Amino acid sequence: MNTSITHDNPSEDFAALKKITATVYLCQVLTFALAGFPLLAGVAINFFYRNNVKGTWLESHFNWQIKTVWVTLAGFALSGLVLMLDIQLSLVVLIPTLLLLIYRIVIGWSNLTADKPLKELS
């Protein structure tokens, strides 16, 4: 499936890229039910189609989604390491990580449905 934006039919190509972006957000949501594996599938999709969205407002969503995965994986890893010491302390790391994941999915999805780029928070 070639979904790079062409001059022949840019609106259809862009719609396909927007669907791909929505699919990655869906993968991030499914992470809660399927033990994180969809998170990895979603970031693989991001990296595969990243050049196709370069220069469009969807590029900000791809960057947002990729950063979401890195932060979430770091939080999961830290929580797993801390779990060896204390389960309650591990939850202190895991719960904010999950809340941040939810926040980033909601913000990203709402901006995607409004056809808006994401502004990175510094």
Side-chain angles (χ1 to χ4, degrees):
M1 177 176 169
N2 184 7
T3 55
S4 60
I5 298 176
T6 63
H7 296 293
D8 298 334
N9 205 342
S11 62
E12 280 185 24
D13 295 335
F14 192 77
L17 289 170
K18 190 174 173 187
K19 284 182 186 177
I20 289 168
T21 308
T23 301
V24 174
Y25 283 119
L26 176 62
C27 286
Q28 291 178 347
V29 168
L30 291 174
T31 294
F32 292 96
L34 300 173
F37 294 112
L39 192 68
L40 300 175
V43 80
I45 292 169
N46 281 135
F47 283 119
F48 187 76
Y49 288 104
R50 193 174 200 185
N51 288 333
N52 298 13
V53 298
K54 199 165 272 306
T56 69
W57 61 267
L58 288 176
E59 183 177 14
S60 68
H61 284 271
F62 272 53
N63 293 336
W64 179 265
Q65 291 168 334
I66 291 167
K67 186 181 267 185
T68 298
V69 170
W70 287 121
V71 169
T72 302
L73 288 177
F76 287 169
L78 183 60
S79 177
L81 289 172
V82 173
L83 181 61
M84 291 186 258
L85 301 174
D86 184 16
I87 193 163
Q88 282 114 359
L89 189 58
S90 177
L91 290 175
V92 169
V93 176
L94 182 62
I95 291 172
T97 300
L98 294 174
L99 291 174
L100 182 64
L101 176 59
I102 293 167
Y103 167 79
R104 290 183 68 90
I105 292 169
V106 169
I107 295 299
W109 181 259
S110 61
N111 278 287
L112 180 66
T113 57
D115 292 338
K116 292 182 185 175
L118 286 160
K119 296 180 177 99
E120 286 290 327
L121 302 174
S122 299

